[in-house]
Amino acid sequence: MSTDATHTHPPHETKLSKKGRKALLAGAVGNTVEWVDWAIYTTFSSVFAVHFFPGDDPAAALLATLAVFAVGFIMRPIGAAVLGNYADRHGRKKGMALTIGLMAGASLLIAITPDYSMIGIVAPIVLVLARMLQGFSAGGEFGASSAFMVEAAAPKRRAFAGSWQQVSVGAGGLIAAGIGAVITSALDSDALDSWGWRLAFALGALLGLFGLWLRTNVAESESFEATKAAREGEVKQKRSYLTMFVKHPGAVARVFGITIAGTLLYYIWVSYLPTYAHVATGLPLDQALTANFISIGYFICMLPFVGILSDKIGRKPTMSAFAGGFLVLAFPLLNFLDNNFWVFLAVEIVGMTLLLGYSANCAVIMAEQFPPEVRATGIGLPYALAVAIFGGTAPYIITWMNDIGIGDKVWIYCAIAAAVGLAVYLTMPETKGKKIA
């Protein structure tokens, strides 16, 4: 049954049970490990590039390595469809174990692959395949882990539980940055070039084993078990991504629309704004990155509290505050940027505060759109498509706008995305406290 026509759930327990806390830990820690492995690639790309491509032109090698990074985004919708279907058919627990196993295995493969000088063209082929596998895994991870954490929560704590999905994403990026800082500081350039970068990927794979252990020792979600029992006796279950499009087209479109503004503005503020400020204002890059690090730490700490707020006042008000805030403030924020650390930090903090309204809600509100039998796929596939189309292209579009001399109009790009998001959030049904099975 589609949750387009949901029903009010009686107000039961409002605290996470012991089982719910264990599920939250397994989902969040495992997801953190996934994103450590994902982010290590970009952290060390400039170091290992010459090991997988001809080393006579380091710049060309780096560009080729970054092109391989983009392949991961292409694979995410495919992973969301295939692995989401697997999690909907065989369980969230098995789905999450599979995604973290694939991600860790890909990291280990990169760590042990011989240099281009030893195996020639096989080296870049292996790198492409490994990155495709990581993108495939990341695509399945969001839907399976979001469904698992939200389903484990009490009805009045679903946004709080779902917010930890995004906490773990941010924590993964920070841990990867920390690994990068420690290894690059502890090793000289020769050691870093020779084996230090391989150590980083090996550590990522080792962390993956810990996440795999957590996920194999947690109980399956009750929502999935109930749905599985209800399906007993069925000859064949249809692929969940087909069912999703046929029976829940409105929910699919809604998840896609919910993601557009969130992913675009998230990638701009979290990933690209330091570079943009450096290029546009001349702010030293180290200062921009420091401010970015501080603001991400603040963002991660605040996410659960905004999740609690959403559980109290609803998804629509908190999501609308995010989009409406950016619609009004995109122009002053981006035009206020200056060659000043404190000004940039203030702009980062204001933007991150607005983003909390989206990121604290995205996992829960997407889970609340679908019944359990298609939930992992319903969350993951339209989300991955929107991320690939809007989030993955945001840095390129902004760079292109700067190149053609209209970099001062980036605020219009942000405001349009915010306006689209606001229209979606104001017209979507409120799902706080609704029964999701």
Side-chain angles (χ1 to χ4, degrees), residues 159 306-319 361 365 428 430-433:
V306 179
I308 293 171
L309 180 65
S310 174
D311 281 324
K312 289 185 178 297
I313 69 172
R315 320 306 185 215
K316 292 181 71 169
T318 43
M319 294 284 277
N361 276 305
I365 200 167
M428 69 186 184
E430 178 60 71
T431 52
K432 176 181 75 75

Side-chain angles (χ1 to χ4, degrees), residues 147-236:
F148 184 72
M149 287 190 280
V150 171
E151 288 172 351
K156 291 189 176 182
R157 285 291 181 268
R158 289 201 299 256
F160 170 74
S163 71
W164 285 90
Q165 205 281 339
Q166 290 294 298
V167 169
S168 58
V169 171
L174 286 182
I175 291 171
I179 291 173
V182 170
I183 289 179
T184 54
S185 300
L187 301 178
D188 59 37
S189 58
D190 289 339
L192 179 63
D193 180 70
S194 175
W195 57 270
W197 65 271
R198 293 185 185 275
L199 175 62
F201 281 102
L203 285 173
L206 188 62
L207 287 172
L209 290 178
F210 173 65
L212 183 62
W213 174 79
L214 274 178
R215 289 182 166 187
T216 54
N217 284 280
V218 71
E220 181 58 82
S221 84
E222 293 180 3
S223 288
F224 175 79
E225 292 288 11
T227 303
K228 181 181 178 182
R231 290 199 305 257
E232 291 294 331
E234 290 184 10
V235 176
K236 183 179 180 181

Side-chain angles (χ1 to χ4, degrees), residues 38-406:
W38 175 264
I40 280 175
Y41 185 99
T42 48
T43 302
F44 288 91
S45 58
S46 62
V47 179
F48 70 78
V50 295
H51 292 274
F52 287 91
F53 297 93
D56 53 350
D57 188 348
L62 178 58
L63 286 172
T65 304
L66 293 176
V68 175
F69 170 76
V71 170
F73 277 92
I74 297 172
M75 290 299 297
R76 283 174 69 167
I78 299 172
V82 176
L83 296 177
N85 181 68
Y86 180 85
D88 283 328
R89 297 184 68 176
H90 302 288
R92 319 304 188 213
K93 177 179 172 179
K94 289 183 179 179
M96 293 192 305
L98 180 57
T99 60
I100 201 168
L102 291 173
M103 184 69 81
S107 289
L108 181 61
L109 184 60
I110 295 173
I112 64 175
T113 299
D115 290 1
Y116 182 91
S117 60
M118 297 177 63
I119 60 175
I121 192 66
V122 176
I125 290 174
V126 171
L127 182 66
V128 170
L129 292 174
R131 194 58 184 176
M132 289 175 69
L133 194 59
Q134 287 189 322
F136 185 78
S137 169
E141 171 67 20
F142 182 79
S145 64
S146 296
F148 184 72
M149 287 190 280
V150 171
E151 288 172 351
K156 291 189 176 182
R157 285 291 181 268
R158 289 201 299 256
F160 170 74
S163 71
W164 285 90
Q165 205 281 339
Q166 290 294 298
V167 169
S168 58
V169 171
L174 286 182
I175 291 171
I179 291 173
V182 170
I183 289 179
T184 54
S185 300
L187 301 178
D188 59 37
S189 58
D190 289 339
L192 179 63
D193 180 70
S194 175
W195 57 270
W197 65 271
R198 293 185 185 275
L199 175 62
F201 281 102
L203 285 173
L206 188 62
L207 287 172
L209 290 178
F210 173 65
L212 183 62
W213 174 79
L214 274 178
R215 289 182 166 187
T216 54
N217 284 280
V218 71
E220 181 58 82
S221 84
E222 293 180 3
S223 288
F224 175 79
E225 292 288 11
T227 303
K228 181 181 178 182
R231 290 199 305 257
E232 291 294 331
E234 290 184 10
V235 176
K236 183 179 180 181
Q237 180 190 355
K238 293 182 179 179
R239 290 179 175 85
S240 55
Y241 54 85
L242 296 178
T243 304
M244 176 190 73
F245 282 112
V246 172
K247 293 188 176 181
H248 313 284
V252 172
R254 197 174 300 124
V255 169
F256 187 88
I258 286 167
T259 307
I260 291 172
T263 188
L264 191 150
L265 292 165
Y266 182 93
Y267 270 86
I268 290 175
W269 238 258
V270 174
S271 300
Y272 191 70
L273 199 60
T275 301
Y276 176 75
H278 173 62
V279 172
T281 72
L283 180 69
L285 188 58
D286 61 333
Q287 292 187 26
L289 291 173
T290 299
N292 184 248
F293 182 85
I294 293 169
S295 64
I296 291 174
Y298 157 79
F299 176 74
I300 291 171
C301 291
M302 291 301 296
L303 275 167
F305 296 102
V306 179
I308 293 171
L309 180 65
S310 174
D311 281 324
K312 289 185 178 297
I313 69 172
R315 320 306 185 215
K316 292 181 71 169
T318 43
M319 294 284 277
S320 298
F322 146 70
F326 267 111
L327 181 60
V328 173
L329 296 177
F331 175 76
L333 285 175
L334 292 176
N335 282 273
F336 192 57
L337 287 175
D338 196 2
N339 185 5
N340 182 288
F341 170 81
W342 297 107
V343 169
F344 181 69
L345 178 60
V347 170
E348 279 270 36
I349 292 293
V350 172
M352 292 295 193
T353 301
L354 294 174
L355 277 168
L356 288 167
Y358 167 77
S359 293
N361 276 305
C362 62
V364 67
I365 200 167
M366 293 175 192
E368 289 170 339
Q369 304 302 313
F370 298 97
E373 60 267 22
V374 296
R375 184 168 291 141
T377 311
I379 297 170
L381 182 52
Y383 171 83
L385 287 169
V387 168
I389 295 170
F390 297 98
T393 59
Y396 178 88
I397 291 174
I398 294 175
T399 301
W400 170 76
M401 291 176 73
N402 277 320
D403 287 344
I404 64 172
I406 58 170

